[in-house]
Amino acid sequence: MAQYFIPCAVCGETKSFHTLIVAEGNRGAGFIYKKHPVVICKTCGLCFLNPQHEEADYAKYYELYD
């Protein structure tokens, strides 16, 4: 279980983000963090989850709940 910060997919910004909301919950999947920050890029306005979970964590999650 790991999280990693990603740059903005539109403009490539790496540091200038504002947190809009922190969604909470993981539907009982202990390998997924319970807090999910949604940020907005201050440069271009794209909203996205940052930091993100590793792809393997998402795969395990969808195996359980698909």
Side-chain angles (χ1 to χ4, degrees), residues 5-9 11-20 38-48 50:
F5 288 88
I6 64 167
C8 177
C11 70
E13 179 63 59
T14 59
K15 296 180 182 176
S16 186
F17 305 121
H18 173 74
T19 301
L20 294 174
V38 177
V39 300
I40 185 169
C41 177
K42 291 182 181 179
T43 303
C44 71
L46 179 70
C47 298
F48 59 101
N50 205 16

Side-chain angles (χ1 to χ4, degrees), residues 2-65:
Q3 288 182 307
Y4 59 97
F5 288 88
I6 64 167
C8 177
V10 172
C11 70
E13 179 63 59
T14 59
K15 296 180 182 176
S16 186
F17 305 121
H18 173 74
T19 301
L20 294 174
I21 188 172
V22 178
E24 294 192 29
N26 61 14
R27 291 180 59 188
F31 51 87
I32 295 284
Y33 288 95
K34 291 185 179 182
K35 294 191 177 195
H36 312 280
V38 177
V39 300
I40 185 169
C41 177
K42 291 182 181 179
T43 303
C44 71
L46 179 70
C47 298
F48 59 101
L49 181 69
N50 205 16
Q52 294 193 352
H53 305 288
E54 290 186 344
E55 189 174 327
D57 291 336
Y58 286 116
K60 283 168 82 175
Y61 182 83
Y62 286 113
E63 280 180 19
L64 290 174
Y65 298 105

